[in-house]
Amino acid sequence: MSDTPTTLLGTSAGKDARADFIRSMRWIALAGVLMVAGALWYMSLFGPLTLHTVIATTLGVFISMLLGCGLFAAAFFSSKSGYDQNVTDATRADFNPSHLPEGLESYKRTGDFTETTIPAALRSAHNTKAGSWGLIHVAEGRLRYRVTDPNRAPLEQILTPDTPPGIVEPTILHQVEPLGPVRFHVEFWRQPSDQGVAPDGKAA
């Protein structure tokens, strides 16, 4: 077995992306040649072409074509080969907090929500403001809690009166879904010095 690590280009997706990139660059180069020919033909209509004019036009048009279209092709190659996802994964925190940070104080709570009164905003991806943490307390029934933020590892929990409350991290996208009859509320926490932080009371 080889000790050489497998790279993205060694995967099936990487090979397909590389083949597409090479094929795209060939078409771009051909288009660049045609563009140069067209530019020289157009300029010849206004008088004889000098050697310097031909060289300058050829380099300018061809290189501009390669740079402009080649960058687009490189962007598609990076995306299709998986390099973009690697960067996303590297900058994403692969954990979700299991408890509130120390030193926070409770400063506000919502009223009770039920499966019929829960605001639509809570069912879709939403977040709290910077510095505002939340605890989702389920008093009755079952509530599905999901963390959907791309900067966090995916998380799905079923909250009940017997489970710990769901932890809402500031600015992190999340959503809830009632699983039948349910009653719950959201409690907001912050640092004692964060007097200016106002939570989104409608979207926990």
Side-chain angles (χ1 to χ4, degrees):
M1 180 181 296
S2 174
D3 294 332
T4 304
T6 301
T7 65
L8 288 174
L9 289 180
T11 64
S12 176
K15 291 178 180 178
D16 291 343
R18 179 171 57 182
D20 288 344
F21 177 73
I22 293 174
R23 183 164 51 251
S24 297
M25 290 305 298
R26 287 173 179 169
W27 281 108
I28 291 171
L30 177 60
V33 171
L34 295 176
M35 289 287 290
V36 169
L40 292 176
W41 171 80
Y42 180 76
M43 294 178 65
S44 68
L45 299 177
F46 300 93
L49 299 177
T50 65
L51 178 60
H52 290 148
T53 300
V54 172
I55 294 176
T57 301
T58 300
L59 293 178
V61 173
F62 190 74
I63 292 176
S64 297
M65 189 74 178
L66 284 182
L67 285 177
C69 297
L71 288 175
F72 277 106
F76 283 115
F77 167 73
S78 179
S79 176
K80 293 180 65 176
S81 62
Y83 283 108
D84 288 358
Q85 187 61 46
N86 269 10
V87 174
T88 299
D89 292 342
T91 56
R92 184 181 71 184
D94 285 330
F95 67 90
N96 291 282
S98 58
H99 58 273
L100 294 179
E102 294 184 2
L104 300 183
E105 64 177 11
S106 176
Y107 70 100
K108 187 175 182 179
R109 61 154 283 177
T110 66
D112 286 350
F113 298 119
T114 69
E115 71 279 4
T116 58
T117 64
I118 178 174
L122 296 185
R123 296 174 179 264
S124 58
H126 61 282
N127 58 9
T128 58
K129 297 182 180 180
S132 182
W133 291 75
L135 291 179
I136 305 175
H137 298 277
V138 175
E140 298 175 4
R142 300 166 68 239
L143 184 73
R144 177 179 285 119
Y145 170 55
R146 292 192 184 101
V147 173
T148 58
D149 198 287
N151 294 316
R152 290 293 181 270
L155 173 69
E156 179 173 318
Q157 295 177 328
I158 305 299
L159 305 179
T160 72
D162 299 324
T163 65
I167 298 177
V168 178
E169 192 177 357
T171 74
I172 298 301
L173 292 172
H174 60 283
Q175 62 188 76
V176 296
E177 176 189 356
L179 301 176
V182 68
R183 182 167 61 87
F184 71 97
H185 70 271
V186 183
E187 181 183 13
F188 294 100
W189 293 69
R190 67 183 175 192
Q191 291 288 345
S193 60
D194 293 342
Q195 299 299 320
V197 174
D200 185 349
K202 295 183 179 180

